Amino acid sequence: MSTPPPAATPRPHPLHALRATVFAIGALLLLVGVGVLLDQPLLIPPLAASAALVHGAPGLPISQPRNLIAGHLMSALIGYATLAVIGSSTWGAAVAAGLSLGAMMLTHLPHSPAAATAVIVVLQAPHPVPFLPLLVLATGLLVMIGLLPGRIGGHPVRYPVSW
């Protein structure tokens, strides 16, 4: 006797999808604009994935502010430690990403896009003094923009669910 397939997740209402899209674009454009003002790149690929989680799945635990900010910061620090020990290589980047995943799981701060932050640190070796504060600024801005849809955009899930 076979078990029935799991029920498909219902599609979001088109207005919900449009709202999430508009707010995600706005958040990412804000990162670009602040980066231009600071003459520093503020939009890195893992932050685009974080914005997608905040606006597309605001109720998930991995989307919550504590996970987003601490996950990226912890992964960056693990990336710097890996860089110091192994050096800049794809091998080191893979190790850093795996270590980041383990650390996020152990600290109950999972945020999957943050593992890519460790990869970026190992492969690009950005100087930590501008990179770490900019990373905190960027993740903080993503959280702040994430607050808006539930307050002004009629989003069905109020973000954050928990801090």
Side-chain angles (χ1 to χ4, degrees), residues 111-140:
H111 185 71
S112 48
T117 298
V119 170
I120 287 173
V121 167
V122 172
L123 293 180
Q124 295 184 355
H127 194 280
V129 172
F131 185 79
L132 292 173
L134 289 171
L135 183 63
V136 171
L137 172 64
T139 56

Side-chain angles (χ1 to χ4, degrees), residues 4 17-18 21 38 45 49-50 66 79 88 108 136 143 152 155:
L18 177 62
T21 301
L38 297 175
S50 295
R66 178 175 71 108
S88 182
H108 300 282
V136 171
V143 168
I152 64 172
H155 197 287

Side-chain angles (χ1 to χ4, degrees), residues 10-159:
R11 289 187 179 177
H13 188 278
L15 286 178
H16 170 65
L18 177 62
R19 196 178 308 115
T21 301
V22 168
F23 276 102
I25 290 170
L28 297 172
L29 288 174
L30 177 65
L31 293 185
V32 172
V34 171
V36 168
L37 289 174
L38 297 175
D39 197 30
Q40 294 285 334
L42 210 55
L43 176 61
I44 58 173
L47 296 179
S50 295
L53 283 172
V54 167
H55 295 285
L60 291 180
I62 65 172
S63 302
Q64 301 312 303
R66 178 175 71 108
N67 296 56
L68 190 154
I69 296 169
H72 278 290
L73 189 57
M74 184 183 339
S75 294
L77 293 172
I78 289 169
Y80 282 114
T82 305
L83 182 62
V85 173
I86 298 176
S88 182
S89 70
T90 52
W91 299 101
V95 168
L99 289 172
S100 294
L101 171 65
M104 287 186 284
M105 290 175 69
L106 288 173
T107 57
H108 300 282
L109 296 168
H111 185 71
S112 48
T117 298
V119 170
I120 287 173
V121 167
V122 172
L123 293 180
Q124 295 184 355
H127 194 280
V129 172
F131 185 79
L132 292 173
L134 289 171
L135 183 63
V136 171
L137 172 64
T139 56
L141 289 172
L142 287 180
V143 168
M144 289 189 334
I145 298 300
L147 298 172
L148 296 177
R151 284 145 182 90
I152 64 172
H155 197 287
V157 177
R158 192 164 176 100
Y159 179 82

